[in-house]
Amino acid sequence: MTYQLYYWDGIQGRGEFVRLALEEAGADYRDVARENGGVEKMMAFLEGRGGHMIPFAPPFLTDGSDVISHVANILHYLGPKLNLVPADETSHFFAHGLQLTITDFITEIHDTHHPLGTDDYYEDQKREAKIRAGRFLKSRLPKFLEYFESILAHNPTGPAHAIGGRLSYVDLSLFQVLEGLRYAFPNALKRHEPSYPNLLKLHAMVKERPNIRAYLSSRRRLAFNESGIFRHYPELDQDT
Amino acid sequence: MTYQLYYWDGIQGRGEFVRLALEEAGADYRDVARENGGVEKMMAFLEGRGGHMIPFAPPFLTDGSDVISHVANILHYLGPKLNLVPADETSHFFAHGLQLTITDFITEIHDTHHPLGTDDYYEDQKREAKIRAGRFLKSRLPKFLEYFESILAHNPTGPAHAIGGRLSYVDLSLFQVLEGLRYAFPNALKRHEPSYPNLLKLHAMVKERPNIRAYLSSRRRLAFNESGIFRHYPELDQDT
């Protein structure tokens, strides 16, 4: 069965967390909205012409007649099928909880450039974005990174992975978060990173996975840009 | 087995979505942080003294040695056990996707009074809160309510429920969202509500469920207040 991923073309965005899992597993999938006529197919689902399981927003995944929406839900669905989460139910719910904390982290990263509302331009909220980004870098960024460093340090099987003794979709998402933060806030990250040695090791490990390495150097991996979640606005990359 | 819910005392907050499910089902549970010494027990988990499945923040639920964190994850875990979601896997993932959209809605509701950061007081971001709340009421609130109205209208078994032909945890959460919005934005809701007749009927139906009615009139149900997610600041309840 071919998985059909639906997400906006032109950005990594939230869809990228799903792509990394599909790519690592070598899964058979189509990135529908990047194909000819694909955006129209995506809009049909969003407008209720694809059955009653209407997604609120991309990304969503279809698998046969099932429609699964929200990144964390998609990864929770794919995890056991792609062998990217330990087999027991306890681990499924623990992994999903970690992924939902990553979801919250990503929302806060996004909101550094959109504190007043997602429907308006960054240029119309630059003053407020600078305040919010400053507070984010000072307190929220360290809080989230310390949390995940601590999750790695507390793993009973060792600090190489978030859950259990081998790669999971949570590890892949943590890699992507660090990639994105380095792009968006290079100066801040240079100061913060040395405090999180386990996260840095995990990032380097994921980057060297053969399927991930092949994906990152392929045309399927888009570059970061200022339409996605992780945006590099030098004025927000402040010394706090 | 007694479920142990951990959430801050003194507010409904995010914990309330879990309480409504436990109360509707007549489940055996303890609201740990409201008991003597309970906050200390909650902090032990948050500080890594309760095993390696460390939650990022309350609410979290323990069931034996399992620790489940994030509201939507807890409801996804409890749904089949409390008979609050249809039995098939497709419905589990559809219900969970809906609950994650409710999660996003709640975050946006919260951020109307905290656009610049969650660590700072409302009083220090009133100007920005007024801008964000105005944009929320004008575009985001209708977008979310229209979405859920449409989910009800598209339900193949009829518009009385979000999923299938009987009550699910998603219905309970939609009830709570409407309760909270009416408290926070009474004027705006008076204008908006008539556009969402199915949501209004669902709200009235949930309110009359015997277990929910008993819960709402009990001392276990705290009143809304200005420390929770839904806060009534008249200056934010604007005519848009």
Side-chain angles (χ1 to χ4, degrees):
Chain A
M1 181 74 80
T2 303
Y3 297 114
Q4 319 265 334
L5 172 65
Y6 295 80
Y7 192 65
W8 306 113
D9 191 15
I11 57 171
Q12 291 185 18
R14 287 181 170 80
E16 196 67 13
F17 296 89
V18 181
R19 285 190 198 103
L20 285 169
L22 292 164
E23 293 281 347
E24 164 61 28
D28 185 15
Y29 81 101
R30 287 170 52 198
D31 206 337
V32 180
R34 290 191 185 164
E35 300 172 359
N36 272 339
V39 171
E40 166 53 28
K41 285 182 196 161
M42 181 165 81
M43 296 314 293
F45 280 97
L46 295 171
E47 290 164 4
R49 291 179 279 122
H52 71 286
M53 290 189 278
I54 307 166
F56 182 74
F60 57 91
L61 182 92
T62 65
D63 181 12
S65 62
D66 285 358
V67 183
I68 302 106
S69 61
H70 287 275
V71 169
N73 197 22
I74 297 168
L75 292 173
H76 181 52
Y77 177 83
L78 290 176
K81 298 178 204 301
L82 302 184
N83 201 21
L84 283 174
V85 71
D88 61 293
E89 207 195 35
T90 296
S91 292
H92 291 184
F93 283 95
F94 177 43
H96 190 46
L98 293 174
Q99 191 67 39
L100 287 170
T101 299
I102 293 173
T103 303
D104 288 347
F105 192 13
I106 292 164
T107 298
E108 294 199 25
I109 292 165
H110 171 273
D111 287 357
T112 59
H113 48 77
H114 276 79
L116 295 186
T118 52
D119 292 340
D120 300 280
Y121 292 112
Y122 167 65
E123 285 67 27
D124 296 332
Q125 44 192 302
K126 285 179 77 162
R127 193 191 71 87
E128 295 82 3
K130 193 158 183 183
I131 299 172
R132 175 133 188 178
R135 294 176 186 182
F136 170 79
L137 293 175
K138 192 178 169 193
S139 72
R140 301 299 289 175
L141 176 80
K143 188 174 163 73
F144 279 102
L145 293 180
E146 271 163 32
Y147 172 73
F148 288 110
E149 181 73 13
S150 159
I151 289 294
L152 294 171
H154 281 78
N155 185 338
T157 67
H161 300 286
I163 304 157
R166 61 178 181 74
L167 190 81
S168 73
Y169 65 75
V170 177
D171 294 342
L172 296 171
S173 290
L174 288 173
F175 161 81
Q176 173 69 3
V177 168
L178 266 184
E179 280 287 295
L181 286 171
R182 282 181 177 178
Y183 172 78
F185 304 106
N187 291 322
L189 263 281
K190 248 174 244 152
R191 287 195 311 280
H192 282 291
E193 275 190 6
S195 307
Y196 311 108
N198 290 318
L199 275 172
L200 290 183
K201 267 181 234 161
L202 181 147
H203 174 273
M205 176 273 293
V206 170
K207 197 162 192 164
E208 290 307 313
R209 302 276 302 180
N211 285 359
I212 295 297
R213 210 158 74 167
Y215 170 62
L216 294 179
S217 63
S218 75
R219 294 174 57 97
R220 300 191 300 288
R221 171 78 165 189
L222 299 172
F224 286 107
N225 62 45
E226 280 54 61
S227 301
I229 297 165
F230 300 100
R231 303 188 185 184
H232 180 52
Y233 296 126
E235 63 273 22
L236 302 186
D237 183 21
Q238 307 156 67
D239 206 342
T240 50
Chain B
M1 183 73 77
T2 304
Y3 297 113
Q4 319 266 335
L5 173 64
Y6 294 81
Y7 191 64
W8 306 113
D9 191 16
I11 57 171
Q12 291 185 19
R14 287 182 169 81
E16 197 66 12
F17 296 89
V18 181
R19 286 192 197 101
L20 286 168
L22 292 165
E23 292 281 346
E24 164 62 26
D28 186 14
Y29 80 102
R30 287 169 53 199
D31 206 337
V32 180
R34 290 190 185 165
E35 300 173 358
N36 274 339
V39 170
E40 165 54 27
K41 283 181 198 163
M42 181 165 82
M43 296 314 293
F45 280 98
L46 295 171
E47 291 164 4
R49 291 178 278 123
H52 71 285
M53 288 187 280
I54 307 168
F56 182 73
F60 57 92
L61 182 91
T62 64
D63 181 11
S65 62
D66 285 358
V67 183
I68 303 106
S69 61
H70 287 275
V71 169
N73 196 23
I74 297 169
L75 292 172
H76 182 52
Y77 177 84
L78 290 175
K81 299 178 204 298
L82 302 183
N83 200 21
L84 282 175
V85 70
D88 60 293
E89 205 194 37
T90 295
S91 293
H92 290 184
F93 284 94
F94 178 43
H96 190 47
L98 293 175
Q99 192 67 39
L100 288 170
T101 300
I102 293 173
T103 303
D104 288 347
F105 193 11
I106 292 164
T107 297
E108 294 199 25
I109 292 165
H110 171 273
D111 288 356
T112 59
H113 48 78
H114 276 78
L116 295 187
T118 52
D119 293 339
D120 300 281
Y121 293 112
Y122 167 64
E123 284 66 27
D124 297 332
Q125 43 191 300
K126 284 179 78 163
R127 191 190 74 85
E128 294 82 3
K130 194 159 182 181
I131 299 172
R132 175 133 187 178
R135 294 177 186 182
F136 170 78
L137 292 174
K138 192 177 169 194
S139 72
R140 301 300 289 175
L141 176 81
K143 187 175 165 75
F144 279 103
L145 293 180
E146 271 164 31
Y147 172 74
F148 288 110
E149 181 73 13
S150 159
I151 289 294
L152 294 171
H154 281 78
N155 184 339
T157 68
H161 298 286
I163 303 156
R166 60 178 181 77
L167 190 80
S168 72
Y169 64 75
V170 176
D171 294 343
L172 296 171
S173 291
L174 287 172
F175 161 81
Q176 174 68 3
V177 167
L178 266 185
E179 281 288 294
L181 286 172
R182 282 181 178 179
Y183 172 79
F185 303 107
N187 292 322
L189 264 281
K190 247 174 245 151
R191 289 194 311 279
H192 282 291
E193 275 191 6
S195 307
Y196 312 107
N198 290 318
L199 274 174
L200 290 182
K201 268 182 233 162
L202 181 147
H203 174 272
M205 176 274 291
V206 170
K207 197 163 192 163
E208 290 308 312
R209 302 277 302 182
N211 285 359
I212 296 297
R213 211 158 73 169
Y215 170 62
L216 295 178
S217 63
S218 75
R219 294 173 57 96
R220 299 191 300 287
R221 172 77 166 187
L222 299 172
F224 286 108
N225 61 44
E226 279 57 59
S227 301
I229 297 165
F230 300 100
R231 304 190 186 184
H232 180 52
Y233 296 125
E235 63 272 22
L236 301 185
D237 184 20
Q238 307 155 67
D239 206 344
T240 50

